[in-house]
Amino acid sequence: MTKARLLMLAAIIALIAAFFFFDLSRYFSLEYFKAQQAAINDFYTTNPLATAAIYFAIYVAVAGLSLPGAVPMTLVGGAIFGLLWGTVIISFASTLGATLAFLAARFVLRDSIQSRFGDKLAAINTGIAKDGPFYLFTLRLVPAFPFFVINLVMGLTPLRTWTFYWVSQLGMLAGTIVYVNAGTEIAKIESLRGILSPGLIISFTLLGVFPLIAKWIVNSIKARKVYTKWNKPASFDRNLVVIGAGSAGLVTAYIAAAVKAKVTLIEKHKMGGDCLNTGCVPSKALIRSAKFLSHARRCKEFGMKSASVDFDFAEVMERVQRVVTTVEPHDSTERYSNLGVECLTGEAKISSPWSVEVTGAGGTQTLTTRNIVIAAGARPFIPPIPGLQEINPLTSDTIWSLRRLPRRLAVLGGGPIGSELAQCFARFGSEVTQVEMLPRLLIREDPEISQMVMRRFEAEGIKVLVNHKAKQVLVENGQKFLVLENEGRESRIAFDELLCAVGRVANTSGYGLEELGIPVSKTRTVETNEFLQTVYPNIYACGDVAGPFQFTHTAAHQAWYAAVNALFGRIRKFKADYSVIPWATFTDPEVARVGLNEQDAREQGIAYEVTNYGIDDLDRAIADEEAHGVVKVLTVPGKDKILGATIVGEHAGDLLAEYVGAMRHGLGLNKILGTIHIYPTLAEANKYAAGAWKRAHQPEKLLRWAKRYHAWMRA
Ligand SMILES: Cc1cc2nc3c(=O)[nH]c(=O)nc-3n(C[C@H](O)[C@H](O)[C@H](O)COP(=O)(O)OP(=O)(O)OC[C@H]3O[C@@H](n4cnc5c(N)ncnc54)[C@H](O)[C@@H]3O)c2cc1C
């Protein structure tokens, strides 16, 4: 906490302590006022403005310091100023006092609370940003919530001060009028209890809940409104139609069939989608072959004199296809048909909220369905760089049909796909230049993590050009050039093939979204709510087409929510949970992450502590000649609670599973340290990272006592 905050906190505590020490509360009682009423009324008659000003100032101070006394003061206000002026003065004084308390809580505590509990408060913060005024209005009206608690708690949220002010003034008005009115007959009031009758309490509660109910009704009407221009069929052939048989669509259909729903899965191209055919599977197969070559080149490190590997690139690419073919049955029509899914080959188009047209070899048929899940995936993005389209660049869709190794390969993009493939092709012998306009590769990772990958790439002969923007592609005398700009200077590189890997864009056109008016978000994915519903509550989207992640495991994770919400949402709906999302980039060294890294934590204002364990120290890594990399763990300061972990090194993606499980189930570093890990394994790195954390948090005082105890035992 800063000095200014500490001073302010001390001042507030001193004022509150003085209030109780001098027993000032006796001046804020009905009895005291009744005894002094005649004198106060006399003063008011001769000095009305001064009375109002003094009263206003005292009220603001009481409310601002969260002192007890606001209720008797309101009654007194009614007694002195009458209903109209009493209400006006108290409404402004109470709101101003509340806002001061709100600002004090915000100034003194909010930053430390948000940075300490920011990860837990994220959902609350989002809720406040979206619906804060509604919540506050309800809290102000429902008499069960104490006035001063609301002021302090709201100060800790991101609610805007002006919003707090006006919603408070409006929300407190009804209650103020009731108390001021009661105060006009103060002589009849014996205690504070009887002022709010049970009937009034219920009315206030209903008034408070009303905005929430109204919002719910408006949302329901809106949801229904989108359907008005469509004719709903009297009955449906199916419970669910799924568009796209990639990772998201397959899992959706699988779950639907498992719970005995009638489900149809439509695929226009190949079952398995990108992951099987052009993504995870072929890329990992290619990476394996390239790694074999790198091991052969490193033969001296393993004690061999020499190793020569002869290979034909076309055969390597055929092997990649063999791997795809071997995995294919997992995603095949046969397998899914046996599971109870109706699989149709053809192009799907949503023709109404309850019908999908499928155009295949046998013509077009229309299916009626209660629910639709869009799982149409994404495709490589080709940026509008002059000359790029014309040279027909390679993408992650087309690179798998290459059978001749390009001599010079330019790779546009320093993200996971560009990096994995750049390293593969360099290992096969292409002269690879990788171009990235940002300052480093794998920009989502912390800088030193990116550096580890970049250093290895450069050591393997890849020319990495960061901070270089691709401006143009030129063909001169049959020679292709990529024109780059770096700090205002232009340069060009010659290439034979160019791989464009600058991101993937969701497939959102050509299958009915435009006609139905289903909106696309700023990130150009299908817009969904937290239940993965589009504007039509019976049409869902999941996987790459919905974002925000573009991984097979997140597509499958979302698919569960889409399927369950579509089929059982009338009974219970689940919000898609993105709290623990892991991923890996399968470069060498591999980079795997779950939760926060330093860059994220700083951006989100979350306090953290870092523990690093260098894998160069690990016995198994040394034995394997893979003694490099790091396990980097972020924890809550002073606690073993894991906020995130990044692992760089051999099999990082596999090693990370321990941290993913720990975060998912709320286990801290102490639990990882207390788990037996097989010796000698790479997985021990996780335990040693936990050990490094423990050493940094050892109980120094206790150890000093232990030292004395042992000395005493020796004496
Ligand atoms: C080179 C590369 C490597 C990758 N490596 C990994 C990795 O290691 N790990 C990882 O987790 N992720 C990886 N990914 C990402 C992963 O492949 C995707 O996140 C995943 O495939 C998304 O699945 P999906 O079901 O959302 O989309 P897709 O797999 O794209 O499936 C969508 C399907 O919908 C079909 N379709 C679209 N429109 C229609 C229509 N109108 N009618 C009928 N069918 C339609 C398409 O033909 C397609 O088959 C990689 C991607 C690439 C490109």
Side-chain angles (χ1 to χ4, degrees):
M1 210 182 267
T2 61
K3 208 171 164 190
R5 288 192 173 115
L6 277 174
L7 277 175
M8 176 131 175
L9 186 62
I12 293 171
I13 292 173
L15 285 171
I16 295 173
F19 178 84
F20 288 105
F21 183 78
F22 296 111
D23 192 20
L24 298 181
S25 57
R26 68 197 138 106
Y27 300 117
F28 294 88
S29 66
L30 282 183
E31 294 69 35
Y32 178 79
F33 175 73
K34 281 181 187 173
Q36 303 295 326
Q37 190 167 10
I40 295 173
N41 281 344
D42 278 353
F43 186 75
Y44 176 52
T45 317
T46 46
N47 306 288
L49 274 180
T51 315
I54 294 167
Y55 174 87
F56 190 89
I58 296 175
Y59 201 118
V60 170
V62 166
L65 288 170
S66 305
L67 295 172
V71 172
M73 279 222 50
T74 309
L75 294 170
V76 167
I80 303 174
F81 305 109
L83 181 61
L84 177 65
W85 283 111
T87 304
V88 171
I89 294 168
I90 293 164
S91 172
F92 280 97
S94 60
T95 311
L96 190 60
T99 308
L100 288 178
F102 166 91
L103 287 173
R106 173 160 292 183
F107 178 68
V108 175
L109 291 174
R110 190 180 68 175
D111 283 356
S112 53
I113 296 231
Q114 287 286 350
S115 74
R116 206 164 174 79
F117 303 104
D119 57 326
K120 286 208 196 85
L121 296 178
I124 297 176
N125 291 344
T126 318
I128 289 287
K130 211 170 135 210
D131 287 324
F134 276 104
Y135 291 139
L136 178 59
F137 191 69
T138 306
L139 293 172
R140 285 299 186 205
L141 277 167
V142 178
F145 303 114
F147 169 75
F148 77 98
V149 175
I150 301 170
N151 303 337
L152 300 181
V153 170
M154 281 291 160
L156 306 180
T157 71
L159 190 72
R160 287 173 53 206
T161 309
W162 170 238
T163 310
F164 176 84
Y165 181 89
W166 73 259
V167 176
S168 294
Q169 184 141 30
L170 200 66
M172 292 192 297
L173 200 56
T176 305
I177 292 172
V178 170
Y179 277 95
V180 174
N181 188 42
T184 58
E185 297 199 44
I186 202 160
K188 290 187 198 156
I189 300 174
E190 290 307 324
S191 85
L192 298 177
R193 270 205 206 117
I195 297 165
L196 277 187
S197 66
L200 260 182
I201 292 179
I202 294 173
S203 315
F204 276 160
T205 308
L206 285 179
L207 215 55
V209 177
F210 177 74
L212 295 179
I213 297 174
K215 188 167 182 264
W216 180 79
I217 293 171
V218 168
N219 282 348
S220 313
I221 293 172
K222 255 200 217 156
R224 275 165 203 278
K225 218 172 136 199
V226 289
Y227 292 112
T228 46
K229 67 173 180 165
W230 306 100
N231 288 328
K232 189 174 182 180
S235 65
F236 309 94
D237 305 334
R238 291 151 179 87
N239 300 98
L240 187 61
V241 165
V242 183
I243 300 175
S247 315
L250 287 169
V251 176
T252 308
Y254 181 101
I255 291 166
V259 296
K260 306 298 173 202
K262 186 149 193 261
V263 52
T264 300
L265 176 64
I266 309 165
E267 173 54 55
K268 67 175 178 183
H269 188 41
K270 287 182 177 173
M271 292 287 283
D274 276 355
C275 183
L276 171 65
N277 299 293
T278 55
C280 335
V281 175
S283 62
K284 268 74 249 179
L286 192 68
I287 285 169
R288 185 66 192 92
S289 297
K291 187 159 196 164
F292 178 78
L293 272 181
S294 99
H295 280 168
R297 278 190 203 115
R298 291 172 53 202
C299 67
K300 288 209 170 84
E301 291 176 39
F302 303 107
M304 316 288 158
K305 271 206 178 70
S306 69
S308 75
V309 179
D310 194 12
F311 74 96
D312 177 348
F313 181 71
E315 282 173 29
V316 172
M317 293 305 265
E318 286 306 325
R319 171 192 170 256
V320 169
Q321 282 316 305
R322 262 203 326 277
V323 171
V324 172
T325 314
T326 312
V327 179
E328 228 164 40
H330 302 169
D331 297 350
S332 65
T333 301
E334 293 69 36
R335 174 164 181 241
Y336 276 78
S337 302
N338 288 337
L339 288 167
V341 177
E342 180 189 33
C343 298
L344 298 181
T345 305
E347 179 136 14
K349 181 164 185 196
I350 308 174
S351 46
S352 88
W354 303 280
S355 59
V356 177
E357 281 173 8
V358 190
T359 307
T364 299
Q365 56 172 316
T366 302
L367 320 176
T368 61
T369 174
R370 198 169 245 295
N371 302 291
I372 298 169
V373 171
I374 301 166
R379 61 183 188 283
F381 172 63
I382 308 286
I385 295 171
L388 182 60
Q389 286 277 9
E390 289 74 359
I391 59 143
N392 199 12
L394 293 169
T395 67
S396 60
D397 277 357
T398 56
I399 200 161
W400 312 110
S401 52
L402 272 188
R403 290 298 176 267
R404 272 188 36 212
L405 183 71
R407 189 170 70 79
R408 294 166 304 180
L409 177 70
V411 176
L412 214 53
I417 296 176
S419 299
E420 287 180 8
L421 292 173
Q423 190 174 39
C424 280
F425 277 82
R427 286 179 164 186
F428 287 118
S430 294
E431 277 172 35
V432 176
T433 307
Q434 190 176 7
V435 178
E436 169 56 61
M437 69 177 189
L438 296 173
R440 50 198 168 79
L441 301 181
L442 306 182
I443 195 75
R444 291 181 67 184
E445 306 305 336
D446 280 338
E448 82 278 17
I449 305 288
S450 294
Q451 282 306 328
M452 288 182 191
V453 176
M454 272 170 64
R455 273 202 301 273
R456 181 69 168 261
F457 274 28
E458 280 160 356
E460 291 191 10
I462 300 171
K463 190 169 170 194
V464 180
L465 299 178
V466 291
N467 289 319
H468 278 70
K469 190 169 178 195
K471 298 260 295 181
Q472 197 179 359
V473 174
L474 294 173
V475 183
E476 286 174 0
N477 305 322
Q479 171 71 65
K480 292 177 217 163
F481 296 98
L482 180 60
V483 182
L484 302 170
E485 188 192 281
N486 166 242
E487 292 173 357
R489 281 191 305 273
E490 254 189 30
S491 58
R492 48 166 71 185
I493 52 167
F495 64 87
D496 300 310
E497 292 285 359
L498 183 144
L499 168 66
C500 183
V502 292
R504 294 169 55 73
V505 54
N507 294 321
T508 54
S509 60
Y511 58 94
L513 301 190
E514 300 91 338
E515 291 81 347
L516 266 83
I518 294 177
V520 168
S521 69
K522 276 188 221 137
T523 50
R524 294 196 281 169
T525 51
V526 172
E527 203 169 280
T528 58
N529 62 15
E530 55 269 72
F531 302 105
L532 298 176
Q533 287 169 304
T534 64
V535 279
Y536 292 86
N538 73 318
I539 303 182
Y540 293 75
C542 60
D544 282 8
V545 79
F549 304 99
Q550 290 187 329
F551 306 113
T552 288
H553 46 276
T554 47
H557 179 70
Q558 286 182 325
W560 184 90
Y561 291 94
V564 170
N565 288 341
L567 296 170
F568 300 108
R570 279 160 200 87
I571 305 164
R572 187 169 170 201
K573 280 192 302 208
F574 297 87
K575 286 184 184 174
D577 173 7
Y578 300 127
S579 54
V580 181
I581 301 286
W583 64 82
T585 302
F586 296 89
T587 42
D588 189 357
E590 238 168 73
V591 178
R593 172 138 79 91
V594 60
L596 299 178
N597 63 2
E598 285 197 78
Q599 143 176 306
D600 291 344
R602 261 188 243 120
E603 267 169 33
Q604 295 171 31
I606 294 174
Y608 64 90
E609 234 180 78
V610 180
T611 303
N612 280 306
Y613 170 74
I615 297 180
D616 50 342
D617 195 45
L618 186 70
D619 293 3
R620 180 56 188 266
I622 295 168
D624 285 354
E625 295 294 347
E626 298 294 354
H628 55 85
V630 69
V631 178
K632 177 175 180 183
V633 187
L634 265 67
T635 43
V636 173
K639 296 193 177 149
D640 75 335
K641 185 176 183 283
I642 304 164
L643 294 170
T646 305
I647 304 184
V648 183
E650 196 67 0
H651 295 298
D654 298 80
L655 298 186
L656 191 77
E658 187 164 8
Y659 284 104
V660 181
M663 284 185 73
R664 183 80 188 127
H665 300 291
L667 304 177
L669 288 180
N670 279 315
K671 290 276 188 286
I672 291 183
L673 187 61
T675 305
I676 299 175
H677 290 63
I678 295 172
Y679 179 84
T681 55
L682 294 177
E684 281 188 301
N686 292 341
K687 184 178 165 128
Y688 291 141
W693 175 85
K694 189 77 182 172
R695 275 195 300 286
H697 293 86
Q698 56 193 7
E700 298 294 349
K701 257 191 196 154
L702 199 67
L703 289 175
R704 276 199 295 276
W705 279 107
K707 194 174 172 186
R708 278 184 206 135
Y709 168 76
H710 293 306
W712 177 64
M713 289 300 282
R714 288 195 302 272

